[in-house]
Amino acid sequence: MQKALQKLAQFPAHPGGVNAVALALNSALVATGGQDNKTCIWSIRKLQEKSTPMMTLLGHSSPVTCVAFDQTEARVASGNVGGGLRVWDISAGKSIKIFSAGIHHQAVSCLNFNANGQHLTTGSNDMSVKVWDMRHKQVVQSYKIHSNNVNTALFSPDGKYLFTGGEDGICNVVDLGEGKVVKQFSHDGPINTIALHPLDLIMATGSSDRTSKVYDLSSFQIVASIPMDSTKIRSLQFCGDDGDVLCTGSEEAIKFWRWEKECNLQIQGNPNNYNSNINYNVMRKISRQYCSRARSKLLNLGKAEMVKFKKLIIPD
């Protein structure tokens, strides 16, 4: 039986509308950005029907379009419709960095910190993606790699790569050391969201074409596809202890998908063209080789057929 989601609280957050929400789970905080030009910080533990923010951060001159916490959850960044960018110290309740040089010419549509918090990436409706040095308050890399609005941008966990997706249906993989795009993937509609697996070189993309695709970044090959949703995919998140569940959010529903355990794998060099049914979990792979139960032989995952997802039923 599926578990029902229970609403904990509902309350007005910003007059005119809420444009962005970010969670800081360790410190139980929520950051919101709104049409009122404000960035607000809320305590999850104190949310009530008539809740008020624990902190209201002022300084933007236009509506706030995106917010993001750094890894320490001590800072939050916010971008606005005018292309402005600010970083706030939550404990001090004030803006500690205001980026004025090299700012975007149109709305900042997305932003994310890298793992050590020393760099920040932003994407914009001006079709550019920028990487900012937090210490020197300046742009260190700028890319014009989309032909339309940029919807999402995030760093790889090791900080060596940048992944971007846009209205043009293109997902770019940027090698930050080389300063260039090394791979592109595509959808038939705008790419709205990108998620990276927490343990492995796996990336998922979600699109307005109502599909999600999963790629192996070690080979830059598509390894899985998710059945078409009824509406556009707005968000993606790997979850579970080992990231073996993918959560997809559309305009109508939140769905959970688990990798199929069974996959037909053709043994290379077998004169009988024998197909062996093996068990594996691609999310927990340590290497790219797996053992076939039928032949006790190491096989390369690259020989496998495309993996399929199945709907995950959450038990009581």
Side-chain angles (χ1 to χ4, degrees):
M1 181 181 297
Q2 291 183 325
K3 288 185 176 180
L5 296 177
Q6 181 181 1
K7 182 173 68 176
L8 298 178
Q10 178 176 323
F11 50 87
H14 296 271
V18 178
N19 296 330
V21 177
L23 295 176
L25 294 180
N26 293 331
S27 52
L29 298 177
V30 178
T32 60
Q35 285 292 112
D36 56 0
N37 305 355
K38 297 177 181 178
T39 302
C40 294
I41 307 297
W42 311 77
S43 172
I44 295 177
R45 299 186 181 95
K46 298 180 180 179
L47 290 180
Q48 298 174 356
E49 291 296 329
K50 295 183 179 180
S51 187
T52 56
M54 59 177 287
M55 190 179 302
T56 300
L57 305 173
L58 304 175
H60 283 291
S61 58
S62 60
V64 177
T65 52
C66 50
V67 291
F69 288 97
D70 69 357
Q71 294 294 321
T72 66
E73 300 180 355
R75 298 175 298 176
V76 64
S78 56
N80 66 31
V81 167
L85 177 63
R86 287 175 177 260
V87 179
W88 314 83
D89 183 308
I90 296 175
S91 61
K94 65 179 182 179
S95 177
I96 55 174
K97 296 184 187 296
I98 303 173
F99 294 91
S100 56
I103 59 176
H104 292 284
H105 301 298
Q106 295 185 37
V108 179
S109 53
C110 56
L111 49 80
N112 271 293
F113 287 92
N114 71 343
N116 61 22
Q118 294 182 3
H119 291 91
L120 179 74
T121 183
T122 57
S124 171
N125 290 353
D126 65 9
M127 300 182 289
S128 69
V129 179
K130 299 180 185 292
V131 178
W132 305 78
D133 186 312
M134 295 296 296
R135 293 167 295 181
H136 299 98
K137 303 181 184 180
Q138 64 183 13
V139 174
V140 291
Q141 290 185 351
S142 183
Y143 300 94
K144 204 70 173 287
I145 50 180
H146 288 278
S147 60
N148 208 324
N149 299 349
V150 180
N151 292 333
T152 181
L154 69 162
F155 292 99
S156 62
D158 60 8
K160 295 181 179 180
Y161 295 92
L162 182 66
F163 303 89
T164 71
E167 285 290 310
D168 54 6
I170 299 297
C171 171
N172 291 294
V173 182
V174 180
D175 185 323
L176 295 174
E178 297 289 334
K180 64 180 182 181
V181 175
V182 293
K183 189 66 178 179
Q184 286 187 331
F185 305 103
S186 64
H187 276 268
D188 292 330
I191 294 177
N192 302 316
T193 179
I194 297 173
L196 297 176
H197 190 272
L199 301 178
D200 290 311
L201 294 174
I202 301 292
M203 177 187 72
T205 56
S207 171
S208 294
D209 66 8
R210 300 183 293 159
T211 66
S212 298
K213 299 178 181 180
V214 183
Y215 301 88
D216 181 344
L217 295 177
S218 64
S219 62
F220 292 121
Q221 298 295 318
I222 184 170
V223 295
S225 62
I226 295 177
M228 185 175 291
D229 209 306
S230 57
T231 57
K232 61 183 68 175
I233 305 298
R234 290 290 191 183
S235 60
L236 292 171
Q237 181 69 50
F238 286 102
C239 52
D241 293 339
D242 297 304
D244 59 345
V245 174
L246 182 63
C247 174
T248 62
S250 67
E251 293 181 336
E252 292 184 349
I254 298 174
K255 298 179 181 179
F256 297 87
W257 305 86
R258 188 186 298 279
W259 291 84
E260 285 278 12
K261 301 293 185 180
E262 302 294 327
C263 176
N264 288 326
L265 192 70
Q266 184 170 317
I267 298 178
Q268 186 178 18
N270 188 332
N272 298 321
N273 199 26
Y274 177 75
N275 283 305
S276 171
N277 208 25
I278 66 168
N279 289 321
Y280 70 88
N281 187 337
V282 71
M283 294 298 190
R284 299 186 64 182
K285 68 184 176 69
I286 298 175
S287 67
R288 289 181 54 77
Q289 291 184 318
Y290 298 85
C291 184
S292 165
R293 287 184 175 179
R295 293 296 181 89
S296 297
K297 180 178 179 180
L298 288 177
L299 303 171
N300 193 299
L301 180 62
K303 303 297 179 182
E305 296 176 357
M306 186 177 292
V307 184
K308 293 183 178 180
F309 275 89
K310 66 178 180 180
K311 187 73 172 292
L312 174 64
I313 304 300
I314 304 175
D316 279 330

